[in-house]
Amino acid sequence: MTTLDTSASTLRSRLTTLFGFASPYPPLPVDGLDRETVTTVKTLRKKCRRDGALFQQGLALHRQGRSQEQLNAMFDAVTHYSWDVWAGPIDVSSFEERREREKVLIALLLRECRPALDQHPVLLDYILGDDA
């Protein structure tokens, strides 16, 4: 193996690691879902691939069985905006609040597509992908 081969291999592995999240998704394993549910499932898969630990926390929050109102109240509790005359609303939440908000958002999205997940359990495997 030459130095050029080694460099190319190293570069290829680093680019795969860096841009691995941008690879295309496999097709949905279920046909006949409405467009909104398909979009929600794909969004959940993206969020799972981006941060698996945070997704698992959101999944645990979803499995606690909280109502839509409780989740919305949790979301509002960690959402803070400041108003600028020229720029409009500016998110002034701390990093921890943004992570908590993302976790609650995952639970809300899972709750939104709950009927499809109950009817087709294979969708959760699709969302979790390689992390299952």
Side-chain angles (χ1 to χ4, degrees), residues 39-111:
T39 304
T40 304
V41 167
K42 287 182 179 179
T43 300
L44 285 167
R45 183 170 168 98
K46 278 186 215 174
K47 288 182 182 298
C48 182
R49 288 179 75 182
R50 189 176 307 134
D51 192 348
L54 186 66
F55 185 86
Q56 290 297 330
Q57 292 173 0
L59 184 61
L61 186 63
H62 167 70
R63 288 183 174 158
Q64 289 177 2
R66 299 192 182 216
S67 69
Q68 184 87 18
E69 292 80 23
Q70 289 174 323
L71 292 172
N72 283 335
M74 291 174 67
F75 187 85
D76 291 341
V78 292
T79 303
H80 305 289
Y81 286 100
S82 176
W83 183 261
D84 184 5
V85 173
W86 303 107
I90 300 171
D91 185 10
V92 292
S93 303
S94 68
F95 177 73
E96 292 81 16
E97 289 172 330
R98 285 193 298 264
R99 297 241 339 145
E100 182 71 23
R101 187 171 59 212
E102 190 69 24
K103 180 172 70 171
V104 173
L105 180 63
I106 289 168
L108 282 166
L109 289 172
L110 283 166
R111 183 163 181 80

